[in-house]
Amino acid sequence: LQLLFLVQVHGQGGVKFQNWAKTYGSSPELYFQPTSVEEIREILDMARQRDKRVKVVGGGHSPSDIACTDDFMIQMGKMNRVLKVDKEKQQVTVEGGIFLSDLNIELSKHGLALANLGAVSEVAAAGVIGTGTHNTGIKHGILPTQVVALTLLTASGEILECSESINADIFQAARLHLGCLGVVLTVTFQCVPQFHLHEVVFPSTLTEVLDHLDDHLKRSQYFRFLWFPHSENVSVIYQDPTNKPPSSSASWFWDYAVGYYLLEFLLWISTFVPSLVCWINRFFFWLLFSSRVENIAISYKIFNYECRFKQHVQDWAIPIEKTKEALLELKAALENNPKMVAHYPVEVRFARADEIWLSPCFQRESCYMNIIMYRPYGKNVPRLNYWLTYEGIMKKHGGRPHWAKAHSCTRKDLEKMYPAFPKFCSVREKLDPTGIFLNTYLEKVFY
């Protein structure tokens, strides 16, 4: 009789997992899409019996191998419900697999919104916090700072409720969990009343922005800027709450025909003639970013923007007071090495300090400096020199890498960067003593 009550979980073989940029992938032995906690428990039991590891994946957006495994993969897409909306506290509790793109729409039906969002919303709630996704705004923290509670299914099958008041230590670890503490079943976000944003984009120069950084930070709640390498050109972006009605000056022709297809074609040509990149960066600044543009829309439509096409990225957070020095060093390095080319833009964003153990903003206000090398038509562009130069500058200024992006840091580096690293490790070892949730990426982090 008892056998009848067993949930039967079926894993698919032969599934190939690839991240959005198609820069990393793996072929899990079995691929699961569970619909209940019972099913996940069974998958963990099966993994234990067969001595396999388990990796949980959401939207697969991370530009690194953090989600890859050759053992068992759990894709949480079917556990994607909104469980509770508390209008009084302005909080929402969701299953870990919900995409933020769906959550944004659900929240807006209740007159609520998330106070800050990253560039992309086709990402799962549990994954967004797991890698420390961020946007910009010196009064705003990274996205995990909006989490007030979560539930975690541990390797042993136990469910832990975590918040500031219950399992507080596990909470500070699990708000940025790297997928190695257990399966995040539910997340409770602190929301704000729904709001519209007025975005103003205008041209400037690197010298002006760096010399008046404090003014810019005070002037706009969500300030960021884009620097065009091999030039002085900068595009400044201000985003601020507004009561004005929605309006847009965006055009399909300029955004896609030019900003996507023409750019991809020209960058492809530049793989044969690298010196063209300097010209391309300047040409596109003149074409798309040299005049003032304004947009007004509901907050999530302004926060989210087109990442164009496949790319390699690096994104480190440095102490905010090092912004000018580090950027000018990167600029000088490019000027001194004519053979080293850098695609536009270098995106510079800001975030407030927090207390989350593995947050790149742990106990310090930070500047994130995101560099990019596109892969036109999927072709790889030489980037090693640029990558190493950038990493060297970031390390020198006390940088910490974004967990979702590819970086070359080892446990020795991370112990120096993160005062709370040992605390995180002891929580991880307690929750997952056999390392069932580890993979190659995480072994570099912890061993």
Side-chain angles (χ1 to χ4, degrees):
L1 259 177
Q2 215 171 356
L3 287 177
L4 294 175
F5 294 109
L6 267 182
V7 186
Q8 277 301 298
V9 285
H10 293 291
Q12 275 176 286
V15 172
K16 178 131 179 61
F17 166 76
Q18 273 199 316
N19 68 344
W20 173 78
K22 295 192 166 36
T23 44
Y24 293 90
S26 63
S27 302
E29 187 180 314
L30 289 175
Y31 179 86
F32 299 89
Q33 287 191 297
T35 56
S36 68
V37 178
E38 288 69 32
E39 286 181 41
I40 301 175
R41 277 204 178 106
E42 279 211 17
I43 297 164
L44 295 181
D45 285 345
M46 196 194 296
R48 218 174 286 116
Q49 286 156 18
R50 298 199 198 170
D51 202 20
K52 297 288 177 193
R53 287 173 165 185
V54 176
K55 205 71 232 137
V56 184
V57 61
H61 243 274
S62 296
S64 69
D65 54 347
I66 191 167
C68 293
T69 183
D70 291 329
D71 288 2
F72 290 2
M73 183 174 277
I74 298 179
Q75 205 281 331
M76 293 290 279
K78 290 187 175 165
M79 297 181 71
N80 63 350
R81 292 172 305 160
V82 174
L83 299 173
K84 184 184 174 198
V85 178
D86 185 330
K87 283 207 160 164
E88 226 164 275
K89 289 185 177 166
Q90 299 185 339
Q91 291 175 354
V92 63
T93 303
V94 296
E95 288 185 309
I98 193 170
F99 271 22
L100 293 192
S101 48
D102 296 327
L103 178 57
N104 292 334
I105 293 164
E106 278 303 306
L107 284 176
S108 107
K109 290 178 192 168
H110 294 278
L112 295 172
L114 290 169
N116 209 349
L117 286 165
V120 180
S121 278
E122 280 63 50
V123 285
V128 161
I129 67 169
T131 53
T133 301
H134 69 97
N135 180 22
T136 192
I138 200 57
K139 295 223 168 12
H140 296 273
I142 62 172
L143 268 56
T145 59
Q146 301 176 58
V147 174
V148 289
L150 53 86
T151 57
L152 194 65
L153 177 68
T154 65
S156 64
E158 185 187 359
I159 292 180
L160 298 177
E161 305 276 334
C162 308
S163 67
E164 296 277 2
S165 50
I166 312 161
N167 291 318
D169 266 13
I170 295 174
F171 181 62
Q172 288 307 8
R175 283 209 280 176
L176 204 163
H177 54 75
L178 302 184
C180 67
L181 304 178
V183 182
V184 175
L185 299 174
T186 72
V187 181
T188 303
F189 288 104
Q190 181 61 51
C191 304
V192 296
Q194 183 178 318
F195 61 106
H196 281 67
L197 281 174
H198 181 190
E199 177 180 73
V200 182
V201 183
F202 59 93
S204 185
T205 64
L206 191 60
T207 311
E208 188 283 323
V209 172
L210 293 177
D211 287 350
H212 301 103
L213 199 55
D214 285 348
D215 295 344
H216 286 290
L217 286 163
K218 284 187 192 110
R219 226 174 277 158
S220 172
Q221 196 177 138
Y222 303 97
F223 154 67
R224 72 176 192 275
F225 67 91
L226 312 176
W227 169 55
F228 290 66
H230 311 293
S231 78
E232 259 284 306
N233 298 329
V234 161
S235 176
V236 174
I237 300 157
Y238 284 175
Q239 295 170 341
D240 291 283
T242 182
N243 296 321
K244 293 179 189 164
S247 65
S248 169
S249 49
S251 107
W252 178 89
F253 175 74
W254 291 105
D255 287 357
Y256 281 90
V258 175
Y260 189 123
Y261 298 110
L262 179 63
L263 178 65
E264 188 165 27
F265 177 66
L266 290 176
L267 287 177
W268 180 74
I269 289 179
S270 79
T271 60
F272 306 100
V273 192
S275 59
L276 280 178
V277 170
C278 308
W279 174 84
I280 291 170
N281 287 2
R282 289 177 181 154
F283 175 62
F284 272 87
F285 177 80
W286 170 78
L287 209 57
L288 299 179
F289 298 91
S290 59
S291 57
R292 184 184 169 98
V293 177
E294 298 192 34
N295 288 306
I296 297 173
I298 192 159
S299 57
Y300 63 84
K301 289 188 176 166
I302 296 281
F303 284 140
N304 290 167
Y305 50 91
E306 191 56 55
C307 289
R308 295 198 167 89
F309 43 93
K310 309 303 181 219
Q311 52 195 240
H312 287 287
V313 290
Q314 278 239 54
D315 191 14
W316 286 50
I318 54 175
I320 197 163
E321 60 276 9
K322 303 283 192 184
T323 306
K324 180 175 179 175
E325 212 179 321
L327 249 181
L328 291 178
E329 255 178 68
L330 188 63
K331 184 172 188 262
L334 289 168
E335 280 163 8
N336 297 334
N337 295 309
K339 280 203 166 69
M340 187 161 69
V341 297
H343 292 168
Y344 88 81
V346 171
E347 185 181 16
V348 185
R349 291 174 283 180
F350 304 90
R352 71 169 158 81
D354 61 50
E355 290 299 324
I356 299 170
W357 292 351
L358 289 191
S359 165
C361 304
F362 181 72
Q363 295 183 346
R364 67 181 198 202
E365 294 200 328
S366 300
C367 161
Y368 277 93
M369 216 167 278
N370 186 80
I371 64 165
I372 191 167
M373 286 301 270
Y374 288 113
R375 300 174 56 229
Y377 310 123
K379 183 175 180 179
N380 267 332
V381 177
R383 64 177 199 284
L384 193 63
N385 284 349
Y386 182 31
W387 250 227
L388 292 172
T389 302
Y390 165 85
E391 274 202 352
I393 294 169
M394 294 294 108
K395 277 185 178 159
K396 175 181 155 188
H397 293 293
R400 296 167 179 159
H402 187 320
W403 290 106
K405 317 270 165 104
H407 58 83
S408 60
C409 297
T410 58
R411 176 166 180 153
K412 256 212 317 253
D413 298 316
L414 297 164
E415 279 174 341
K416 280 188 211 128
M417 294 169 179
Y418 287 97
F421 196 77
K423 281 189 190 172
F424 186 94
C425 290
S426 72
V427 166
R428 189 196 72 76
E429 282 152 26
K430 200 163 67 203
L431 294 181
D432 183 20
T434 61
I436 196 169
F437 294 114
L438 291 179
N439 64 356
T440 316
Y441 173 102
L442 291 168
E443 279 178 345
K444 281 191 289 226
V445 169
F446 295 114
Y447 294 105

